[in-house]
Amino acid sequence: MSAGAMPSARATYRVQLRSGVDFAVVEAALPYLAALGISHVYLSPIWRAAPGSTHGYDVVDPNTIEPELGGEAGYRHLADAASELGLGLVLDHVPNHMGVSAENAWWWDVLAKGPASGFARHFDIDWDAIAGATPGRVLLPVLGQPYGDCLAAGQLEVEATDDAFELRYFDQRFPLTVEALPDSTEALHQLLERQPYRLAHWRLGKEALNYRRFFDIDGLIGVRVEDPAVFDDCHRRLLELVGEGRVQGVRLDHIDGLADPTAYLARLDEALAEASGEHAKPPVWVEKILEGDEQLRPDWPIAGTTGYEVTDRLNRLFVAPSGAPILDALWRAIAGHRADLDGMLAAAKTTILGGSFAGELTRLRLDAMQLAAGDLRYRDLGADSLERALAAMIEAFPVYRTYLDDAPATAADRTLMAAVMAQANAAAGLEDDLAFRFLGDLLDRAASDPEALGFATRLQQL
C-alpha cells in the first residue's frame, strides 16, 4: 500500500468485534461500507483478551492478535481487502490497563514471583503498601466471602499441573510456589501466606487494593506505559502493523488514566513516525471527554478526540426544546426535595469517593502526610483535615483532570486549580486554610520536585 493510497478520514464506521463478529464478517461488509462513502473502518481492540470477553478492552496480550477473531492471517487478509477498496483501518489501542486473568502471562509471572518478576514494574502496583501482614504482596479481592470462611469451607484447593502446582478457587486459578503439599487447613493457610499475593473478600477491594484500576473495576489493572520499556512491550505489534502499512489510524482508549498523557502521546507520535517508513504516519485520536467549554490540549500531537463532545451537540438536534418544561416538571415531581441537580451531583461524588475509591483517597492522604511531615510549615497538619481537604478538592473538579507534569503548568491548568482550590476551601468547612495552602504549594512544586510530581500524578489519575 503506497503512502498516498489512503484518503484523509472523512467518515468512520465503528465495528464492535466479538460475539459472532470477526475479521471475516467485517471483510464481507467492506464493499457495502465503501458504497456508503466510509473512508475508514474503526475496529474495537483486536488484541488477545480475557477468555469470553465481549468487548476486548480486557487485553491480556497486546502483541498477539486475537485467534478467535481470525488471528494474524485473518487480520492481514482484512487489511489487504480494505486497501483494495480504498478503505483504511483504525485500530483501538488500550494503553492504560490490561485484564487481570490467568491468561495474562505478565500478570501470572507477577503473581508467581512478586516484586522479583521481570514484569513487576509493568503494572501500577504499590509494592510498599501493606496488603495483609507484610508489604510486597498484591491484594486480590476475588473471594465471594471472607477469606477465613472460604478456607474453612474447603473452597481453596491445591491442584497439580504438568510441571507445577496451582491454587484453585472455583473457575479461577493462581500460581503456587509449594515447598510441601499442605495436609491441613492451617498448613494451606501458612502456604498461602508465603505467596506474593493475598486472596481477600471482594468487598475489601475498595479500601485496601494496592494496584491502580480502570475506574473501580478490579479486573482491569493499570499499566505503567510512562516507563519506556513498558511502552515498547505494549506497542510492539501495533508498530509492526503500522510498518506493514496495515494500520491507517489509531484510537487511544482512556487517555486521562495515564500518568502523563502529554509525554505518552509525544513518545507514541515519534514511534509511529519511525515505524511508518514509506507509509503515511497514521493519525491518532484520543478518547477524551471535554466538559463544557474545556479545550483540547494544543500541544498534543493528535488529530483530535473521538468526538463525544460533537455527538453531544449533534444529539441536541433531535431533541425538541418545547418538551423540556414537561420533562423538568416530571423529574421534579418524582425527585421531590432531591430535585437539586448540583446538590445531587456533589452528593454522588462524595459517595463514590468515599466508597469505591476510599483506598485511593487514603493512599493520597498518607502520601501527603509524609510530605507534610518533612516541612516545618506544614508538619502540624492533621490527617482528618488533610483528607477532608483532598476530598473537597477532588469533588470540586468540573473536568476530568489537570495535566501537571515536569514542565511549568499551563495557564489553563493554573486557572482551573485556583478555581478548584477556592471552591474546595469554601466547601470543606475547615477551621483554617493550612491544608489547602499545603496542597497548593505541593502542586506548584510539581514541575521541580519529583516527590511533589509523584503526588500530583496520583491525584490527577484519581
Side-chain angles (χ1 to χ4, degrees):
M1 187 186 304
S2 67
M6 284 294 121
S8 59
R10 63 175 179 268
T12 62
Y13 190 99
R14 186 183 188 277
V15 176
Q16 177 59 53
L17 299 167
R18 302 175 186 277
S19 300
V21 179
D22 59 14
F23 297 142
V25 171
V26 178
E27 183 177 341
L30 290 180
Y32 170 71
L33 296 178
L36 287 178
I38 299 298
S39 63
H40 290 67
V41 179
Y42 156 33
L43 301 175
S44 65
I46 66 171
W47 312 114
R48 187 169 173 239
S53 175
T54 59
H55 48 77
Y57 290 90
D58 46 356
V59 174
V60 298
D61 184 347
N63 295 305
T64 298
I65 298 178
E66 178 63 73
E68 292 186 7
L69 297 178
E72 296 280 341
Y75 179 78
R76 286 196 299 271
H77 203 275
L78 169 63
D80 293 345
S83 175
E84 291 177 4
L85 292 170
L87 293 170
L89 294 182
V90 176
L91 295 192
D92 200 331
H93 201 64
V94 189
N96 176 70
H97 54 267
M98 292 181 70
V100 172
S101 167
E103 285 69 28
N104 185 333
W106 300 354
W107 177 243
W108 186 268
D109 196 71
V110 169
L111 294 186
K113 302 174 185 175
S117 167
F119 299 101
R121 295 289 293 167
H122 279 55
F123 301 110
D124 201 349
I125 301 171
D126 182 6
W127 289 105
D128 295 325
I130 294 178
T134 58
R137 302 177 73 194
V138 180
L139 183 72
L140 302 181
V142 298
L143 304 178
Q145 54 188 329
Y147 168 77
D149 294 341
C150 292
L151 192 66
Q155 296 172 352
L156 303 174
E157 301 178 332
V158 177
E159 184 175 287
T161 63
D162 292 339
D163 55 358
F165 290 94
E166 294 179 356
L167 178 69
R168 286 278 184 170
Y169 175 65
F170 294 103
D171 61 344
Q172 298 187 65
R173 57 192 182 91
F174 310 90
L176 201 60
T177 301
V178 178
E179 304 88 0
L181 289 177
D183 55 6
S184 67
T185 300
E186 177 59 25
L188 176 57
H189 167 63
Q190 293 301 327
L191 174 63
L192 295 181
E193 288 293 275
R194 294 191 292 273
Q195 304 306 311
Y197 56 85
R198 174 196 163 194
L199 301 184
H201 190 205
W202 67 270
R203 291 187 185 278
L204 187 60
K206 65 181 182 181
E207 298 182 47
L209 200 68
N210 59 339
Y211 61 81
R212 181 174 62 85
R213 304 165 291 176
F214 171 71
F215 291 107
D216 62 348
I217 302 175
D218 296 343
L220 295 175
I221 185 171
V223 178
R224 298 184 61 254
V225 288
E226 64 271 19
D227 183 313
V230 178
F231 176 94
D232 291 344
D233 282 347
C234 291
H235 296 78
R236 184 171 297 108
R237 188 67 187 113
L238 171 66
L239 295 174
E240 290 172 352
L241 290 175
V242 169
E244 296 170 13
R246 292 189 167 97
V247 176
Q248 286 72 46
V250 178
R251 182 266 193 188
L252 297 172
D253 183 70
H254 194 50
I255 192 72
D256 278 336
L258 303 184
D260 189 345
T262 305
Y264 167 79
L265 290 170
R267 181 175 286 123
L268 179 63
D269 184 64
E270 182 178 339
L272 289 172
E274 182 178 348
S276 297
E278 63 179 15
H279 307 288
K281 183 180 71 172
V284 172
W285 293 274
V286 297
E287 182 196 29
K288 162 65 185 170
I289 297 176
L290 297 170
E291 293 282 359
D293 296 328
E294 183 185 8
Q295 299 296 308
L296 191 62
R297 290 277 303 231
D299 56 339
W300 285 1
I302 60 175
T305 73
T306 46
Y308 294 158
E309 69 283 353
V310 175
T311 302
D312 174 58
R313 287 161 174 76
L314 290 177
N315 279 343
R316 298 179 192 181
L317 294 174
F318 301 96
V319 178
S322 59
I326 301 172
L327 292 175
D328 183 66
L330 177 61
W331 173 62
R332 293 182 185 280
I334 294 173
H337 69 281
R338 296 179 291 110
D340 171 15
L341 186 58
D342 291 337
M344 291 173 69
L345 177 59
K349 287 185 176 183
T350 300
T351 298
I352 293 297
L353 186 59
S356 298
F357 295 102
E360 285 86 345
L361 180 60
T362 296
R363 182 194 173 184
L364 272 180
R365 187 252 298 164
L366 290 172
D367 289 348
M369 286 293 293
Q370 187 173 10
L371 293 171
D375 192 319
L376 298 182
R377 296 171 298 169
Y378 304 116
R379 70 176 186 178
D380 290 342
L381 264 174
D384 180 67
S385 295
L386 194 49
E387 185 157 321
R388 286 168 61 186
L390 276 168
M393 186 171 69
I394 293 168
E395 292 165 10
F397 262 88
V399 296
Y400 252 62
R401 59 171 289 173
T402 47
Y403 297 93
L404 304 178
D405 52 27
D406 57 1
T410 64
D413 278 346
R414 289 196 303 271
T415 299
L416 174 59
M417 285 305 308
V420 165
M421 285 293 193
Q423 180 179 333
N425 200 352
L430 299 178
E431 294 179 350
D432 57 48
D433 65 351
L434 183 63
F436 286 100
R437 281 192 281 124
F438 166 66
L439 291 173
D441 181 54
L442 195 58
L443 296 175
D444 284 343
R445 300 201 316 265
S448 58
D449 181 342
E451 289 187 325
L453 178 58
F455 173 82
T457 298
R458 289 186 291 275
L459 172 64
Q460 292 176 124
Q461 286 178 300
L462 175 57

